Amino acid sequence: MKNWTDLWLGYHKVNVKKADELYSKSVGKVYLEGFLEDESICANAIKELTHGLKQMIKVSVKIISNAGGEIEEENAVVIKKDDSIKKQGYRYQDNGKRITISAPDENGMLYGVFALLRNVAMQKERKADELCEPSNPLRMLNHWDNMDGSIERGYSGESFFFKNGKIMTGSRIVDYARMIASVGINGVVINNVNVKGAATYLISERYYLNVKKLAEIFGSYGISLYLSLNFAAPIEMGGMDSCDPLDENVILWWKNKVWEVFNHIPNLGGFLVKADSEGRPGPFTYGRTQAEGANMLADIVKEYDATIIWRCFVYNCTQDWRDTKTDRARAAYDNFKPSDGNYHENVVLQIKNGPMDFQIREPVSPLFGALSSTNEMLEVQIAQEYTGHQIDICYLIPMFKEILNFRTYCKDECDTVADVVSGRTFGNTCCGFSAVTNTGDDENWTGNDMAAANLYGFGRLAFNTELSAEEIAREWVKLTFNVSKEAEDVIVNILMNSREIYEEYTSPLGIGWMVTPQTHYGCSVDGYEYSRWGTYHRADHLGIGVDRTENGTGYVSQYFEPNASIFADVNKCPEELVLFFHHLPYTHKLHSGKTLIQHIYDTHFEGYERVLEMQKNLEGIKDELDQSVYDRVSGRMNLQVANAREWCDQVNSYFYRKSGIEDEKGRKIY
Ligand code: GCW
C-alpha cells in the first residue's frame, strides 16, 4: 500500500449516467497512428489512459496500433502524428463522436492524452478544436533537496529523492513524474542549488547508477533531468587549488568530469549553477565575469546537447548599504546586463521574478527584456518560503499572472515577461519558466492540501500562459476533490483571495521582509537578516519606505521608459509597490484618501478578519471533504489565524509606537 495520495490524478468515479452520454461510447477504442505502443513515453500515456478511463467511467480501452489508412469507426479516439504542430504541442479535436489527438512527438501525445483524461474527469462538454502548443520551451521544477533528506525551504516533509546520502528510485518517483508530466513539466532539477560537501556530489561514481535510473523514469514521461553543480567542484572534489573558469587545468578537469557524467547518464538535460551568491563560490573570485563562468561550462556540455542554467541571484549579502546608492535590488541587473550578448547559445539565465527574493509583492525584475541577446528564464517560488510555509493558504497563480503580463517596454510590442521568456520577443529557443517546488514526502506531497494548487497551477501556466488563475483553480478543485459545485466555489474563492489576504496582514505596500530572520515565517518588523547597517524598511518616527528614485538608490533607472518614470513618480507608481520605490511620511495621502498609516492599520485588521471568514467558509464545507484532508487543512488554518493575529498586532503596534498617530477608528492597538 503506498502512503501517498494521487493529488489531481485520483480519477474519481464520475457520474456514470452523465458520462455515458458524454464520453463512454467514444473512448473504448483507441487507434494509434505513427506512435508505437511500446515506445516508452507512449507506453506510459496508454497506461495512464487505460487506468484513468477504467477508474472514472469503467471503460476498458482497446488499443489498435499502426492504424494507418482510413479509420471507419466513428466513435473512437484517434491518436496520430502531425509534424505541422510545434514541438511538444498537440491538437485536440472532438466532433462529439470521434476524439482526435494529433501531435508531432511523444511529449505532445502524452499531453494530449492527459487533456482527454482531464476533460473526462471534468465532464467537459464535447465539441472542441484546440491547438495547444507550449508557451515555454523549458518548463521546469527546481528541488532544493539535500542528500541527507532535508529540503532547504521545504514545508512538506523530507525529500523523496534522497535519504541519508542515498538515492531513492521507487514508485513514488514514478508517481511524481506522472503528476508533473500531466501538467506539462518537461524538466526537473533534483538537488539543491546550494551544493555543499564534496562527499554528496551527484557527479560522482557512487551515484551514477541511481541518477541514471531517475533520469530514465523521468525520461519515460518526457521530462529531462538536470543536476545542480558546485562551481568549486574542481577544488572540493578534484583537489585543485583553483576553480578559475579561464584556467586550462580547471577546464580540463570539467571536460573529464562532464564526459564521465554523460557517459553514465546520456540523457541528462544539463546543469543548474548558483555561483557568487550567499557563500557560494563563483567566477567573481577570480575577477572573471558571470558570462565567462557560464560559457566555460556551456562549451563543455555542448557536445552532449546539454544546457547550462545559470542563476542571476548574484548579490553581496554583506554589502554596506549606508551610502544611498548601494542597493541589493540593483544587483542582478548590475551583474548581468553588461555582458548581454556574451552568453553562449546553450546558456540560459534564470532570473527571479523580483529584484529581491520572492516576497509577497515585488516589482518585476528589470532584467527581463533588458537582456535582448541572452536566453532568459523566469524563476518563481512555489515553496512558500516568504508566503506562509504552506501553513497559511496562499495561491500564487494570480501573482504569477501579474508577473507574466508585465510590460517591460523593451520593444513596442510583444514585450511582456511572458513574451520574453517564451522566446517570442527575441526569437530564443532555449528559455522558459521554472519554479522552486513545494513538494516533499508528506502523504499529500505539499503539506497543506491547498498548496498543491500551486504545483498544479505552475505547470498548467508554464504550458499555457494564457490560462487564467481562476480557470486553473477551478480545474484543480474539480480534479482533486469530489465535491458539489457549491463547495467547489468555496474552495476557488478561498484560493483566489488568499494572496491578497496574506499581503494585507503581512508587510504593506510592497515594502517586503518584516519576517522572522532565517526561518522566514512569522512577523519580525526589523527582522531582515542583513540589517547590520540599519532596518531594511528605513522606518523612523516620520515615515517608511526605500527611496529607489534617482535621489535614492537609482534602481528605477534600470527599467525601460515609461516604467522608470512611472515608478519614480509617487503619484503614478502602482500603490501596492509605493514603499518599494519611495520613502513616504505616515501622513502621505493614498489614492483612497486614507493616510499611509491608516492604510497600514486598516489592511492589517482587515487581513485578519478575512482569515477568520476563510476559516468559517472552510468549516462550512467540512462534510464534503475527506476527514483527513479537512483535518490537515483546518489544523493549518488554525495556525494561520494565529499567525495573522500576530502579524496584525506586531505591525500595527510597531508603527503606532513609531509614528504616535492614533487609529482613526479607535481600535485597540496592542
Ligand atoms: O533567499 C534565499 C533562500 C535560500 C536560497 C536562496 C536562493 C537555496 O532563503 O534558502 O538558497 O534564496 O535562491 O539561492
Side-chain angles (χ1 to χ4, degrees), residues 197-381:
T200 67
Y201 286 4
L202 288 170
I203 49 168
S204 59
E205 285 288 350
R206 69 181 168 289
Y207 290 125
Y208 288 142
L209 195 65
N210 280 336
V211 175
K212 181 171 190 248
K213 274 192 200 153
L214 290 180
E216 279 165 0
I217 294 172
F218 282 114
S220 72
Y221 283 92
I223 300 162
S224 299
L225 188 136
Y226 295 73
L227 300 176
S228 294
L229 280 187
N230 187 329
F231 196 75
I235 301 176
E236 295 195 9
M237 190 180 211
M240 302 177 68
D241 57 7
S242 166
C243 60
D244 179 351
L246 301 191
D247 179 321
E248 276 176 21
N249 291 324
V250 171
I251 298 172
L252 188 63
W253 186 87
W254 277 116
K255 270 193 179 143
N256 290 333
K257 180 47 83 181
V258 166
W259 177 85
E260 183 187 295
V261 171
F262 280 91
N263 203 23
H264 287 93
I265 316 156
N267 59 343
L268 197 68
F271 301 106
L272 170 64
V273 188
K274 170 178 178 176
D276 286 311
S277 171
E278 300 182 333
R280 298 292 82 210
F284 281 168
T285 316
Y286 303 94
R288 312 299 183 196
T289 63
Q290 297 296 302
E292 285 168 327
N295 290 341
M296 179 271 292
L297 290 171
D299 292 349
I300 295 172
V301 304
K302 194 165 179 220
E303 66 178 281
Y304 308 99
D305 273 337
T307 304
I308 296 297
I309 304 166
W310 192 267
R311 294 179 88 226
C312 293
F313 189 58
V314 175
Y315 74 104
N316 175 4
C317 57
T318 60
Q319 70 185 179
D320 178 350
W321 36 272
R322 280 171 298 181
D323 78 274
T324 51
K325 293 288 171 209
T326 305
D327 180 4
R328 172 176 167 184
R330 298 179 57 120
Y333 185 100
D334 285 346
N335 288 323
F336 287 89
K337 169 72 181 162
S339 299
D340 184 27
N342 297 342
Y343 296 90
H344 293 175
E345 62 184 10
N346 58 333
V347 175
V348 55
L349 297 187
Q350 184 166 291
I351 307 167
K352 286 195 183 184
N353 61 270
M356 295 295 284
D357 193 12
F358 300 137
Q359 301 301 293
I360 189 67
R361 173 83 64 178
E362 281 187 53
V364 165
S365 168
L367 260 186
F368 293 108
L371 298 169
S372 57
S373 311
T374 303
N375 297 320
E376 288 165 80
M377 180 139 123
L378 167 63
E379 175 180 340
V380 296
Q381 191 186 41

Side-chain angles (χ1 to χ4, degrees), residues 144 152-153 192-194 274 277-278 311 313 315 328 352 357-358 379 381 385-386 436 513 518 520 529-530:
W144 287 354
E152 183 156 347
R153 311 305 176 187
N192 191 356
V193 286
N194 290 325
K274 170 178 178 176
S277 171
E278 300 182 333
R311 294 179 88 226
F313 189 58
Y315 74 104
R328 172 176 167 184
K352 286 195 183 184
D357 193 12
F358 300 137
E379 175 180 340
Q381 191 186 41
E385 175 179 358
Y386 294 96
V436 178
W513 306 97
Q518 317 305 340
H520 301 162
E529 44 262 88
Y530 307 120

Side-chain angles (χ1 to χ4, degrees), residues 538-552:
R538 274 72 155 182
D540 59 16
H541 68 293
L542 295 174
I544 172 178
V546 186
D547 184 354
R548 290 190 161 104
T549 67
E550 291 299 343
N551 300 329

